[in-house]
Amino acid sequence: MNDSPGWAAPGSSPSDGERPGAPETPATPESGSDARPPAEGRKWAERQPPPGDWQSPGAPQAPEPPAGPQQPASGGWNRGGTGPGGTGPGSPYGYPGGPGQWGKPPAAKPGVIPLRPLDMGEILDGAVATMRRHWRSVFAITLVIATVVQIADVLLKKYAFPAVPVMSEEPDLQELVDSLTDTLLSSLGTAFIQFIAGILATALLTMVFSRAVIGRASSVGEAWRDARPQLPRLVGLALAIGLGAAALATVLLLPGVLTQNTGLLLFGGLAALPLLLWLAIKFTLASPALMLEKSGIVTALRRSSKLVQGSWWRIFGITALTAVITIVVSFVILTPISALALVVAGGLDGFDQQTVATSWSFLLISGIGAVIVQTVTIPMQAGVTVLLYVDQRIRREALDLELARAAGLHEYGADPAAPPTAG
């Protein structure tokens, strides 16, 4: 495997060694008791193994395994049983150091996350840690992209698609059509710019975050060099998902629209929302799969579906929490900036007359606030998605071994009993 974020086929992952057994202690008679010889026909031996380690009477005692430091072994992360990687005694999930010592399995941490299955806090912390440690690359990418998006958006609102004209108290059909057309064109223009910018940000940030996992920094130039070959496919992936969602919504809403039946239209909308949400989570890992595995569009969709299978609710919860965090951060930043823009531009009276919404002062101040928000929130969302992809591959495919080798930990996951090999 090379050092690029396109990881090769996964290997095995570390697991704890066996828990050393309890030492055998012979039973001694108490003082004052009569030590009688065993009765004739007694089935049990005089020396008994300690509690919890029973064996057949008369059978030879198994040698106790020597105590020593835990070594990562091959075989991946086992999710059940009582052996290494399971959930019983000797398991890193239940008993990492013995009974009563609950905690997480030991793992190497060459970068922003430990190389083992992650919990929600570690995924969020890994995204924030990447933004903090590699802020030059992360914020340089998002700042440039957000600035370009907002400049284009301001120009569109100022010249190409000015404010929607004020309708009369009793608008006729022509006024309604004109208002709807202007609103739709303005929204489509902004959405198209954000769509292209989102694809570019996702591609570049995926490379930065993937390298941060193995403890390596990535400059903007390196991220662009790694991401550029996959950009056309990423555009195709985004279009496929977007057009598929639009087609699905159209199929479900069309009967109500054609029949002008409000109940049928409401039923189609209620059916479309959960289905679209399910598909959005199902294919949420397609983008990092396409970028990091250098795969095609269909392969990336299949990979995301496979990785999400069985973990839909967990991924949905982490994604939803990330969305809530970004919404709160956006509200905290935009509220005072929007209030300042409104005051500077002339207050609520001008806004009611739609003169403020297209004034330079309002557009510029609002645009600066939007740049700040996008610079902070875009890498957070992209980072969580990449780390969810890494986490699912560690859980299902033992990707931690490949990541450790990419980080330079060549002995990570080696079998301690295996004979050394010549380098």
Side-chain angles (χ1 to χ4, degrees), residues 299-349:
T299 303
L301 292 173
R302 290 176 179 172
R303 286 287 290 151
S304 178
S305 178
K306 180 181 178 181
L307 292 173
V308 173
Q309 185 178 7
S311 301
W312 190 96
W313 283 106
R314 176 176 177 272
I315 295 175
F316 167 74
I318 296 175
T319 304
L321 178 60
T322 305
V324 170
I325 292 174
T326 55
I327 290 173
V328 171
V329 171
S330 301
F331 179 79
V332 170
I333 296 175
L334 282 179
T335 298
I337 295 178
S338 298
L340 176 62
L342 190 60
V343 170
V344 172
L348 292 175
D349 293 337

Side-chain angles (χ1 to χ4, degrees), residues 6-298:
W7 296 310
S12 59
S13 59
S15 59
D16 284 353
E18 294 185 356
R19 179 172 61 94
E24 182 179 335
T25 305
T28 57
E30 300 178 2
S31 64
S33 63
D34 53 346
R36 293 177 298 175
E40 187 171 335
R42 179 177 294 176
K43 301 297 183 183
W44 305 103
E46 286 256 342
R47 278 180 78 184
Q48 298 296 329
D53 205 6
W54 296 101
Q55 297 183 9
S56 175
Q61 299 291 328
E64 299 178 0
Q70 297 174 340
Q71 296 290 336
S74 61
W77 292 97
N78 181 16
R79 287 295 166 266
T82 57
T87 55
S91 160
Y93 290 92
Y95 302 86
Q101 300 183 19
W102 298 84
K104 299 173 182 176
K109 189 178 179 181
V112 294
I113 59 170
L115 299 184
R116 55 167 168 74
L118 307 173
D119 57 31
M120 180 174 62
E122 289 170 331
I123 291 176
L124 295 174
D125 180 70
V128 175
T130 304
M131 295 167 61
R132 186 177 63 251
R133 296 183 189 179
H134 307 285
W135 61 270
R136 290 182 178 86
S137 299
V138 172
F139 292 131
I141 292 171
T142 54
L143 179 61
V144 171
I145 292 176
T147 301
V148 172
V149 168
Q150 290 307 311
I151 290 175
D153 186 54
V154 166
L155 294 177
L156 283 175
K157 290 179 179 178
K158 184 66 178 179
Y159 297 111
F161 306 114
V164 179
V166 179
M167 293 185 294
S168 60
E169 295 182 359
E170 297 181 359
D172 56 18
L173 181 60
Q174 186 61 40
E175 285 182 324
L176 290 174
V177 172
D178 292 341
S179 175
L180 181 61
T181 302
D182 291 340
T183 302
L184 183 61
L185 289 176
S186 178
S187 301
L188 287 177
T190 303
F192 177 76
I193 296 172
Q194 293 179 346
F195 172 75
I196 299 299
I199 289 176
L200 186 58
T202 299
L204 297 178
L205 290 175
T206 298
M207 299 305 170
V208 175
F209 277 89
S210 64
R211 287 181 177 270
V213 169
I214 57 177
R216 298 187 180 181
S218 179
S219 65
V220 178
E222 291 173 336
W224 170 253
R225 185 181 66 248
D226 293 334
R228 183 175 55 187
Q230 290 296 101
L231 280 177
R233 293 179 180 178
L234 186 61
V235 173
L237 175 66
L239 288 175
I241 294 176
L243 294 177
L248 179 61
T250 301
V251 169
L252 293 175
L253 295 175
L254 190 59
V257 173
L258 294 178
T259 60
Q260 296 183 353
N261 188 318
T262 305
L264 189 58
L265 185 63
L266 181 61
F267 175 78
L270 293 177
L273 287 178
L275 187 56
L276 290 175
L277 177 61
W278 177 73
L279 290 174
I281 300 300
K282 184 179 181 66
F283 297 127
T284 190
L285 304 183
S287 174
L290 182 140
M291 295 302 300
L292 298 178
E293 298 179 21
K294 313 298 183 185
S295 62
I297 297 173
V298 176

Side-chain angles (χ1 to χ4, degrees), residues 397-422:
E397 302 171 353
L399 182 66
D400 52 325
L401 183 61
E402 292 297 321
L403 294 176
R405 290 177 178 174
L409 307 177
H410 300 291
E411 299 300 322
Y412 187 86
D415 189 352
T421 57

